Amino acid sequence: MALGNQGHSAFATFLIICPTSFFLGIIFSLFPYDYPLLWTSDPCPPEAFAILEIHLRFLHNSPLIITRILNTVIGTGLLGFFIKLYRPSESNKLFDGASLMLYVVGIIIYVANIVKGMRVIASGKYDVELVQGESTLSTTTVLSGEEVPLGRDDSLRVMAASNTILALVLMGVLVLQAGQWYAERKEKQEVEKYMEEKAAKGENKSEGAKHRSPSGSKKKN
């Protein structure tokens, strides 16, 4: 039973780590576009905004199968969490529970910021309401208390910041999974050490009993 549980846990961990690493790879591929907007003190050249806008429009207009693949990968990660949290141990509750929370936060960031932002960018209407009654990517409040929609440059910066936040969240998932592996490995080593010490004490007791038994028989004779 223990081996079976370990096998299920390893397979479920594989289902979690692969989608998480997959999305981290996608975010890393966007880093050259986001870098001039957020990660340098030099003035951002205007062409950097244009290049990122064109790239995001291209992604948004990609074939439907791309969206289906992304949704399938997201579902694969959730399936891995559900497998590990079925009849959970204390380790699962602590590490996998926290990992699942971060994973759900990542999904919320993806849906609320990135998907909506790509719709804004694809429409090209930064200062108006989106299609189907959705609000723009983000707003800024002026002194009068009114909310003014962000322009193109600020919307693209919000998209770049969302990618960074999502990357940190996903790295947190990987750190928690690595922490769980390390904790379980140390626990296994301690259990094995305890069992070896217990077995050694049992052998010493049996040898001591053997040494005492001949002397006792001599006294009887």
Side-chain angles (χ1 to χ4, degrees):
M1 291 298 292
L3 292 176
N5 292 334
Q6 290 179 0
H8 285 152
S9 178
F11 178 69
T13 303
F14 173 79
L15 293 180
I16 295 170
I17 292 177
C18 285
T20 304
S21 302
F22 176 79
F23 285 113
L24 279 173
I26 293 177
I27 295 173
F28 181 75
S29 68
L30 294 172
F31 187 68
Y33 300 94
D34 297 340
Y35 182 83
L37 279 66
L38 295 179
W39 301 103
T40 178
S41 58
D42 299 331
C44 183
E47 57 268 19
F49 292 101
I51 292 172
L52 178 57
E53 185 179 27
I54 293 171
H55 179 70
L56 293 177
R57 283 180 177 174
F58 177 77
L59 290 178
H60 182 267
N61 296 325
S62 58
L64 185 60
I65 189 174
I66 303 299
T67 304
R68 291 175 178 173
I69 291 174
L70 291 176
N71 293 336
T72 302
V73 175
I74 293 173
T76 301
L78 291 174
L79 176 62
F81 282 113
F82 293 151
I83 293 174
K84 292 190 76 174
L85 291 173
Y86 178 70
R87 294 179 180 177
S89 63
E90 291 297 327
S91 175
N92 294 129
K93 291 179 181 178
L94 177 63
F95 290 98
D96 292 323
S99 297
L100 179 59
M101 290 179 61
L102 287 178
Y103 197 82
V104 172
V105 168
I107 294 174
I108 294 172
I109 294 172
Y110 169 70
V111 174
N113 277 16
I114 296 177
V115 173
K116 187 180 291 187
M118 291 179 72
R119 290 178 181 174
V120 174
I121 294 167
S123 66
K125 300 176 181 178
Y126 296 96
D127 298 327
V128 295
E129 292 287 314
L130 271 179
V131 183
Q132 299 177 352
E134 293 184 358
S135 59
T136 49
L137 175 63
S138 183
T139 56
T140 180
T141 304
V142 295
L143 295 177
S144 62
E146 298 178 355
E147 290 187 347
V148 179
L150 295 177
R152 186 194 72 160
D153 294 355
D154 290 332
S155 295
L156 291 173
R157 285 193 175 97
V158 170
M159 283 287 293
S162 299
N163 291 335
T164 302
I165 296 171
L166 182 57
L168 293 175
V169 169
L170 294 176
M171 284 190 289
V173 174
L174 294 181
V175 169
L176 286 171
Q177 292 299 306
Q180 183 183 26
W181 169 82
Y182 179 78
E184 290 179 349
R185 180 170 173 267
K186 293 296 291 184
E187 182 182 6
K188 182 180 178 181
Q189 289 177 349
E190 290 177 359
V191 170
E192 290 177 351
K193 183 179 179 181
Y194 172 77
M195 295 302 293
E196 289 176 357
E197 291 177 353
K198 187 176 180 181
K201 289 180 181 179
E203 290 179 358
N204 292 334
K205 288 181 180 179
S206 62
E207 289 179 358
K210 289 179 180 178
H211 287 302
R212 287 194 297 270
S213 59
S215 60
S217 60
K218 289 180 180 179
K219 289 180 180 180
K220 289 180 182 181
N221 293 332

